[in-house]
Structure formats: C-alpha cells, structure tokens
Amino acid sequence: KRSRFLERFFYTFVYQILIMKKILTFFTLTVLLNSCTPDCDPYEIQKNVVYETNKSYLLQNKRVDTYINQSGEYETISFNEGTIALVKESETHGCVYYTYEKVQQNFKLRNFLGKIDIGNGTIDMSLSDYVVMNQLGIYSNQSTELNQHTTNETIQGFTFTNVLKLQQTNNSEHAIWDIETILYSKTNGIEFILFRDNTWLKKVIN
C-alpha cells in the first residue's frame, strides 16, 4: 500500500510539474510578444505619391453642384471636402513602413453614397445604396498622368472636350448596377452621368 501511495504521489507530482512548465512557457511567450519592441529605427521601404497633375483632378472644396436631367428637372450632388494626405503604414512589431498618398472625396447622389479615388494612371468612382453597387473607372497598368487618358466625347447629343470617360466595371453575372458611364474633367469634376436605362444627368455650368 505504501509503495502504491508513493507511486501515485510521484506521478501526480510529475504531472503538476509538467502543467506548471506549460503555464510558465505560455506566460513567458505572451509577455514577450506583447512587450517586445523592435530594436531598430523604423525606416521607409517604399513611398508612393500621386503626381501633382493627377491631384489637380480632385476639386477639393465642399460644395453642391446642380445638374439637369433628360426631363428638364434639376437635381444636385453634394460633395464633402476632399482629402489629400500622406498615410504611413507599418508591420506589427516591425522596423519598416511604407507611405502612400490618399487622394479622395466623398459625395452623395440621390440615395447613393459615392467616393472618388485618384492615383497614378487610375481614377476610381464607386456609388452604392447598399443594394446597387456601381464601380466605374480608368485603370492603367502603368503609372501615368491622367491627362494622357482624356478624350472628346459626344453623348446624348452633347459634346464634351478633355474629359475622362469612366466606364462601368462591375459587370459580373450577378452584379447589380445602374450607371453606365460618367464623364469627368479637371475643370468641372463630374460633368455627365449616363444611367443604364438611358436617362442622364448633365452638370449646369455657369
């Protein structure tokens, strides 16, 4: 009986020691992961800024623009103040970071919440009412100036010069969208919107 008791005591003691070691190891790793700071000076590995000519396509001011539709009725689009800012992002517990420039503006058209996002060789415009998602843009594989993508367009009997033609890209089989084309210029911003049902909005320019 005594030998069995000692044997049971021995195994119980060893088991408790193993459990304590696991707890101590877990605790040590947790402390190290949460308190560790990189033993280095953070340095930038990449910086992407938007060309000045491309940034000039964003009309930054907060405003309400007036448009006329195919029935002669007036509508408005309200624009928030635009954002041009450098954003720094770094790796967790890392010594490196990269910087990119954000060139964006939010706006509201009818029930749609929209956003303009400008980069080098790209301009993206999204409009969503949480059911319909419109995604229009120009997307270049190369870092270029948007001036290289301007064109002259005649649409619904109106002629536009030096505009960017943003086409609907959200055209997968199950996509729900209703804006076909947006014409956008450096001087006037959104000049023309052609909807999928062939109705439209044209900016009233004084």
Side-chain angles (χ1 to χ4, degrees), residues 8 14-15 17 26 33 62 74 77 79 88 117 124 148-149 152 185-186 202:
R8 185 179 302 171
V14 171
Y15 177 76
I17 290 295
F26 175 78
L33 288 174
K62 183 178 180 180
Y74 291 96
I77 300 178
F79 294 83
K88 182 188 295 185
D117 198 335
D124 178 84
Q148 298 179 28
H149 300 278
N152 298 329
S185 74
K186 181 186 296 186
K202 180 179 182 296

Side-chain angles (χ1 to χ4, degrees), residues 2 45 47:
R2 180 179 177 82
I45 58 171
K47 186 173 186 177

Side-chain angles (χ1 to χ4, degrees), residues 68-70 152-161 183 191-193 200-203:
I68 190 168
N69 65 22
Q70 71 288 336
N152 298 329
E153 291 288 331
T154 298
I155 186 169
Q156 295 292 320
F158 303 106
T159 299
F160 301 88
T161 58
L183 300 182
E191 290 202 22
F192 192 85
I193 301 175
W200 48 264
L201 289 175
K202 180 179 182 296
K203 185 173 182 179

Side-chain angles (χ1 to χ4, degrees), residues 54 57 120-123 138-152 162-165:
N54 290 353
Y57 274 85
N120 288 329
T122 64
I123 177 169
I138 294 173
Y139 309 98
S140 173
N141 293 328
Q142 298 179 338
S143 182
T144 58
E145 293 187 358
L146 289 174
N147 289 338
Q148 298 179 28
H149 300 278
T150 58
T151 182
N152 298 329
N162 297 321
V163 293
L164 297 169
K165 185 177 182 180

Side-chain angles (χ1 to χ4, degrees), residues 1 12 14 20 42 87 103-104 109 111 121 131 154 169 176 178 181 185-187 198 200 203 205:
K1 290 183 179 179
T12 302
V14 171
M20 288 300 294
V87 179
V103 182
Q104 294 178 348
L109 162 63
N111 293 325
V131 176
T154 298
T169 61
I176 303 176
D178 55 13
T181 304
S185 74
K186 181 186 296 186
T187 306
N198 223 34
W200 48 264
K203 185 173 182 179
I205 302 173

Side-chain angles (χ1 to χ4, degrees), residues 112-113 124-136 168-171 175-179:
F112 292 108
L113 297 178
D124 178 84
M125 200 171 297
S126 58
L127 300 94
S128 173
D129 64 356
Y130 303 105
V131 176
V132 175
M133 180 62 189
N134 297 282
Q135 197 80 36
L136 303 97
Q168 176 65 241
T169 61
N170 189 21
N171 53 9
I176 303 176
W177 54 273
D178 55 13
I179 297 178

